[in-house]
Amino acid sequence: MAELGLTTEQLVSRWGREEITHDDLGPWFTFAFALDGGTLAALVREVDNAPSPGYILTAIGEQDPRATLAEFLAESGLTADRVLREGFE
């Protein structure tokens, strides 16, 4: 959905320890959220061999991805200058 320029340390200081989730690629640092509009969102980053710095914002819901990004930024208090790249189709 979008790549945000954030470090694990910044996220831990804001929301506490990350969760470690796993998929076929391996372990991921994960910070999960339920947005007010009902969308489930997470900031994720591969624990080992992340392809780029920062975290990927991903979401599950019916809302337009740009609207979800805007909602996440507003609710989290993060500013749009943290968005490094948007990957909307």
Side-chain angles (χ1 to χ4, degrees):
M1 170 178 230
E3 182 181 353
L4 282 75
L6 298 162
T7 66
T8 302
E9 294 76 18
Q10 290 169 322
L11 295 175
V12 167
S13 71
R14 183 180 284 256
W15 290 300
R17 286 304 287 170
E18 72 280 358
E19 294 180 51
I20 302 293
T21 57
H22 297 268
D23 68 6
D24 292 343
L25 298 174
W28 293 77
F29 293 125
T30 304
F31 295 86
F33 311 91
L35 302 179
D36 290 343
T39 298
L40 302 177
L43 290 170
V44 297
R45 174 182 173 76
E46 287 182 76
V47 172
D48 302 310
N49 306 311
S52 61
Y55 273 75
I56 298 166
L57 176 66
T58 185
I60 300 170
E62 299 298 320
Q63 186 169 252
D64 173 74
R66 284 186 177 85
T68 299
L69 175 58
E71 182 180 11
F72 174 79
L73 291 174
E75 290 183 24
S76 69
L78 296 171
T79 57
D81 65 337
R82 293 291 191 164
V83 179
L84 304 176
R85 186 175 333 151
E86 294 180 17
F88 307 123
E89 294 180 11

